[in-house]
């Protein structure tokens, strides 16, 4: 039903976060996401990857932020030992329901300089049995 990919330059993202981290995070991420952010050297990579996943999800939906969709309408979380998951609420959930998207596959990766996310949106009847 849709595919989205987004890449974030970590040096640019670090500059964006300097002095604005608290405001940016509280405006962009839900508390369930913030609770999973690590401290230390991998923090910026982690947050940038989650941000890229939100952008990739929008692309898979075929819309942008501001069209009745906020950053917090797309939540990216992960349970230990499992892949990250996309959870929608608000305007994003409404949009997905209107176009028939019921499932999400998400992959996030990092290097020293970039974070990238790829999201595939499918309808329930398009998912093969596991």
């Amino acid at each position: 039903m849709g595919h989205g990919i987004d890449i974030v330059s970590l040096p640019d993202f670090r500059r964006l976060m300097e002095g604005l981290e608290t405001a940016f995070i509280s405006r962009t991420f839900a508390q369930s996401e913030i609770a999973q952010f690590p401290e230390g050297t991998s923090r910026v990579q982690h947050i940038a990857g989650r941000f890229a996943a939100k952008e990739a999800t929008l692309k898979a939906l075929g819309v942008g932020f501001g069209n009745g969709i906020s950053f917090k309408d797309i939540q990216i979380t992960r349970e230990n030992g499992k892949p990250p998951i996309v959870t929608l609420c608000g305007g994003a959930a409404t949009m997905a329901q209107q176009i028939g998207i019921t499932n999400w596959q998400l992959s996030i990766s990092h290097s020293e300089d970039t974070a990238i996310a790829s999201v595939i949106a499918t309808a329930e009847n398009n998912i093969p049995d596991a």
Side-chain angles (χ1 to χ4, degrees):
M1 305 264 332
H3 177 248
I5 190 166
D6 195 69
I7 189 166
V8 173
S9 163
L10 290 177
D12 291 345
F13 198 78
R14 279 187 187 94
R15 281 190 293 277
L16 169 76
M17 297 275 288
E18 287 177 10
L20 300 174
E21 181 174 343
T22 302
F24 174 78
I25 287 174
S26 65
R27 187 179 75 244
T28 309
F29 296 96
Q31 192 58 45
S32 60
E33 296 171 293
I34 295 168
Q36 294 186 343
F37 292 168
E39 295 298 328
T41 58
S42 66
R43 183 175 177 82
V44 171
Q45 281 182 322
H46 181 91
I47 295 170
R50 300 298 169 98
F51 183 78
K54 288 175 179 264
E55 291 281 357
T57 301
L58 280 176
K59 292 172 182 177
L61 280 169
V63 298
F65 286 115
N67 296 309
I69 299 174
S70 76
F71 283 108
K72 291 183 181 181
D73 287 352
I74 300 169
Q75 298 176 19
I76 310 299
T77 56
R78 182 175 177 262
E79 293 181 32
N80 285 337
K82 296 186 178 181
I85 59 169
V86 175
T87 304
L88 303 181
C89 60
T94 300
M95 176 65 70
Q97 183 179 13
Q98 288 173 348
I99 58 181
I101 296 171
T102 56
N103 298 292
W104 299 92
Q105 277 112 28
L106 166 61
S107 180
I108 303 172
S109 190
H110 312 90
S111 74
E112 286 186 32
D113 297 325
T114 59
I116 189 169
S118 176
V119 174
I120 299 173
T122 60
E124 191 168 300
N125 60 358
N126 290 336
I127 299 294
D129 292 333

